[in-house]
Amino acid sequence: MNPVFGPLPLPDLLALLLFFGGWVGYAHWARQLSTRRPSILAITNRWRRAWMLQATQRDNRIVDAAIVQNLSASPAFFASTSILVIGGLLAAMASTDKVSGLVKEIPFAARTSLLVFDLKLALLTAIFVFAFFRFTWSIRQYSFGAILVGAAPEAAQFAEEDQRQAFADHAGRLMGMAAETFNDGLRAYYLSFAAVAWFFSPFAFMAATAFVLFVLYRREFHSDVLGALREPGTY
């Protein structure tokens, strides 16, 4: 037993440290790497900037408003889903004895104390609470972006071209921040699957954490979608 964390066995403690260290470390590392090597988020941010530049040349921005609405629909869906998942997890925590008995019936599931089992449920709950806050913040950021799209002057109203470019940079950056926040929520969803592996064993938890981080890296920096987004060469 670990003297600091009491009944939490050492393998479980190491798995938790790997999970949080991998999550925070990967997020920081991916952000730094994207400044040197294009990622999906970095490439799409360039397209968002180009979109905002084009928006200033349109008199009717119904299409732009529809795009913003569609973009905000995804975080809204995931935020609603997070609420349902959180409710289910809280209900499970309220009846730990019954839920723990059901989990023990699953083949290869680890036999742990009720306290450790509660900690596993608490970890999943915390992940989805974090995701909920990121998704709802993304929704608000998209609403701020919609305000900028509606307030964007026509190209002829800019005194100089540099002002139009600066507006596109500003609005595109805001849309990019909304997308990055949404990406944080999706990353939490991916890592929740790694946390589920903890119910089987701490070693499965470690392996699942490493696998999920590898999948995230492949999709952000080596996916076919990234190649397709880079094909035009202009951006």
Side-chain angles (χ1 to χ4, degrees):
M1 299 298 180
N2 186 276
V4 178
F5 289 85
L8 188 63
L10 182 59
D12 293 276
L13 176 60
L14 292 176
L16 267 180
L17 292 176
L18 174 64
F19 178 77
F20 285 111
W23 187 349
V24 175
Y26 175 79
H28 177 75
W29 176 77
R31 191 175 296 110
Q32 296 297 319
L33 182 61
S34 64
T35 61
R36 305 187 303 273
R37 180 175 186 170
S39 65
I40 284 184
L41 187 61
I43 292 294
T44 52
N45 280 344
R46 298 177 189 177
W47 284 107
R48 290 183 185 93
R49 194 258 182 194
W51 167 30
M52 291 294 104
L53 197 61
Q54 292 297 320
T56 60
Q57 295 181 337
R58 285 191 276 268
D59 296 333
N60 191 331
R61 300 197 178 98
I62 295 178
V63 173
D64 303 295
I67 293 174
V68 175
Q69 184 178 5
N70 288 334
L71 289 174
S72 62
S74 294
F77 168 78
F78 280 102
S80 301
T81 304
S82 300
I83 287 292
L84 297 176
V85 175
I86 292 168
L89 289 170
L90 291 177
M93 293 178 68
S95 54
T96 307
D97 294 340
K98 296 180 180 179
V99 178
S100 177
L102 290 174
V103 172
K104 288 179 180 178
E105 298 298 325
I106 301 176
F108 309 110
R111 271 57 175 175
T112 59
S113 64
L114 289 179
L115 183 60
V116 175
F117 187 81
D118 280 338
L119 182 59
K120 296 175 182 180
L121 290 177
L123 174 63
L124 277 173
T125 304
I127 291 173
F128 284 101
V129 168
F130 171 82
F132 171 78
F133 278 105
R134 298 307 286 170
F135 287 135
T136 52
W137 182 228
S138 177
I139 295 171
R140 291 199 65 190
Q141 287 175 315
Y142 276 124
S143 67
F144 301 150
I147 293 173
L148 286 183
V149 170
E154 298 177 10
Q157 293 180 340
F158 287 99
E160 298 178 359
E161 177 63 19
D162 289 344
Q163 292 181 352
R164 193 169 76 91
Q165 297 283 342
F167 177 86
D169 291 339
H170 183 69
R173 182 170 176 270
L174 180 57
M175 292 295 185
M177 290 169 64
E180 184 174 358
T181 306
F182 176 63
N183 188 59
D184 290 341
L186 280 182
R187 190 176 292 157
Y189 262 59
Y190 273 88
L191 286 165
S192 69
F193 287 96
V196 170
W198 194 12
F199 288 97
F200 294 92
S201 79
F203 302 103
F205 187 17
M206 295 181 195
T209 299
F211 176 74
V212 169
L213 291 176
F214 174 74
V215 169
L216 288 172
Y217 168 72
R218 290 287 302 176
R219 293 193 174 183
E220 290 190 47
F221 293 95
H222 293 281
S223 65
D224 294 336
V225 175
L226 177 61
L229 288 170
R230 296 177 62 180
E231 277 183 4
T234 305
Y235 302 96

